[in-house]
Amino acid sequence: MTDEAIAITGIRKRYGDIIAVDDLSLAVKTGELFGLIGPDGAGKTTIMQIICGLLSSYDGDCRVFGYDCRRELRKIREIIGYMPQRFSLYPDLTVSENLRFFADLFRVSPDDRLKRTERLLAFNRLAAFKKRRAGDLSGGMKQKLALSCTLIHTPGLLILDEPTTGVDPVSRREFWEILYELRSEGVTILVSTPYMDEAQRCDRIAFVHRGKVMAIDRPEQIITHFDKTLYALTSHDLYNAFLSMQGMGAVESLQLFGDRLHFTTPSFDHVKQELDQRGVAYTEILEIEPTIEDVFIQMMQRSLSSG
Ligand code: ATP
């Protein structure tokens, strides 16, 4: 087996005038938990659809464990488990019946189906709910059932498109524990997420914007891509501080981050002067380490200002 689970070379996909994926190359190693991060419309779903063999008209080459995603579809479907953003569970079927439906769809033999269903129900902690209609499950449980249906044919590569969006924090954590277990069993996982704490949990992440990869690295390394000094300002009147700083010539970039403002400047002294002149109340200003989100915002702003 090749060392690369996914090898994408020079992919370009257009929808009329829209370039959804723009000369993108990316490699995911076997056994890796790899995150695709990017704003809405960045091209993440399109990339996943190409990998899963759901799109065929594009330029470039895409391979999964060496198999061509355009030409070797039967093999690709065997190897991949794909959980799209809106996974279609059957709300009137029970948990067990949904699993059975997907097992039949993937032609899993009855013996294997029974063994795998039992294991998946235990694994995803859904055994107690196996007779409950899927439509009556909580959001987190629905996602765990969708994941189980995706796993029924024991794929070696799991493609998950924003699987935890809208799911409560506890269920999100449980979902990620399941992903870690799968990875420890050797399953390669490509997951897209809008959550920065989830980006932090991946082995490597790629930041995608306007169909291009802006950076690929380990989460702890990606912050080295931030090439400015970053400051954090705290204030009891954060909103007014934000409005005042928006108009300051000495402030280069400014973001509201929870209970503080993150900003960069070519001249810290100038910012302090302007804050004093405008009478902006603040508690303190500290030089801080950037977060993954700071890096992504910086890259996105640069990409937007370069046209
Ligand atoms: P989101 O998280 O919002 O789904 P994304 O990063 O997954 O965003 P894509 O869904 O891949 O992004 O979309 C990339 C671009 O391609 C967007 O501008 C989108 O509007 C466009 N696009 C995607 N699918 C189609 C389609 N079938 N027809 C026309 N345009 C499309």
Side-chain angles (χ1 to χ4, degrees):
M1 194 182 273
T2 158
D3 183 40
E4 281 179 350
I6 303 172
I8 296 176
T9 321
I11 292 276
R12 196 176 161 88
K13 170 70 187 168
R14 300 183 77 109
Y15 288 108
D17 289 341
I18 299 169
I19 301 175
V21 182
D22 190 4
D23 193 22
L24 182 136
S25 298
L26 182 73
V28 175
K29 292 182 211 131
T30 302
E32 219 174 5
L33 201 176
F34 194 100
L36 279 185
I37 321 293
D40 289 347
K44 304 176 299 292
T45 299
T46 308
I47 296 165
M48 290 182 160
Q49 288 173 338
I50 288 173
I51 296 168
C52 295
L54 297 171
L55 296 173
S56 55
S57 64
Y58 56 87
D59 297 327
D61 190 60
C62 182
R63 281 168 196 274
V64 166
F65 296 117
Y67 296 104
D68 188 319
C69 297
R70 241 180 319 222
R71 294 185 186 86
E72 293 171 281
L73 271 188
R74 187 190 288 215
K75 204 72 206 164
I76 294 292
R77 301 240 159 104
E78 259 174 50
I79 299 172
I80 292 181
Y82 175 46
M83 185 170 151
Q85 261 175 40
R86 273 169 236 91
F87 188 91
S88 302
L89 290 167
Y90 289 86
D92 290 331
L93 298 185
T94 65
V95 167
S96 299
E97 287 164 347
N98 267 286
L99 282 165
R100 180 176 182 148
F101 176 85
F102 283 93
D104 290 346
L105 196 69
F106 283 99
R107 301 207 173 109
V108 176
S109 73
D111 268 3
D112 283 345
R113 170 168 54 81
L114 290 173
K115 270 187 261 161
R116 287 179 201 170
T117 299
E118 210 169 297
R119 186 166 173 259
L120 285 167
L121 287 174
F123 184 59
N124 287 341
R125 299 174 197 100
L126 286 173
F129 307 97
K130 64 183 178 188
K131 291 193 178 140
R132 188 175 289 188
R133 284 170 67 252
D136 295 335
L137 296 173
S138 70
M141 283 181 186
K142 277 189 188 131
Q143 291 308 83
K144 285 198 277 187
L145 176 57
L147 179 66
S148 305
C149 293
T150 308
L151 290 168
I152 196 80
H153 62 299
T154 56
L157 172 63
L158 202 50
I159 308 272
L160 309 172
D161 198 353
E162 297 196 7
T164 57
T165 298
V167 172
D168 70 86
V170 175
S171 302
R172 284 211 288 130
R173 207 171 41 238
E174 276 179 19
F175 194 91
W176 274 80
E177 279 162 16
I178 296 168
L179 297 190
Y180 283 145
E181 277 185 61
L182 288 166
R183 182 186 56 179
S184 72
E185 289 173 11
V187 178
T188 307
I189 303 169
L190 177 71
V191 58
S192 66
T193 175
Y195 300 114
M196 292 301 142
D197 61 315
E198 295 189 346
Q200 195 80 46
R201 291 178 177 175
C202 297
D203 296 322
R204 284 194 305 150
I205 48 179
F207 179 52
V208 183
H209 188 228
R210 293 175 153 182
K212 286 181 188 289
V213 170
M214 311 294 293
I216 300 184
D217 220 324
R218 298 203 311 275
E220 65 277 17
Q221 280 298 314
I222 209 126
I223 55 168
T224 62
H225 294 247
F226 197 89
D227 56 6
K228 302 262 173 176
T229 306
L230 186 66
Y231 298 95
L233 176 145
T234 46
S235 166
H236 61 266
D237 191 1
L238 204 63
Y239 185 61
N240 267 326
F242 179 70
L243 292 182
S244 298
M245 289 181 78
Q246 265 187 326
M248 287 184 190
V251 173
E252 215 169 29
S253 71
L254 179 70
Q255 299 294 331
L256 196 52
F257 259 80
D259 60 353
R260 50 196 199 166
L261 297 175
H262 287 192
F263 68 93
T264 63
T265 173
S267 167
F268 180 67
D269 290 342
H270 262 100
V271 173
K272 281 195 87 171
Q273 264 173 25
E274 284 198 70
L275 285 168
D276 291 342
Q277 277 163 11
R278 294 177 188 219
V280 179
Y282 61 88
T283 319
E284 61 178 357
I285 303 176
L286 294 172
E287 196 177 313
I288 55 159
E289 281 272 301
T291 63
I292 294 181
E293 203 167 345
D294 290 304
V295 180
F296 291 163
I297 289 171
Q298 186 184 62
M299 284 180 181
M300 223 161 72
Q301 284 171 341
R302 286 199 181 147
S303 155
L304 289 171
S305 61
S306 69

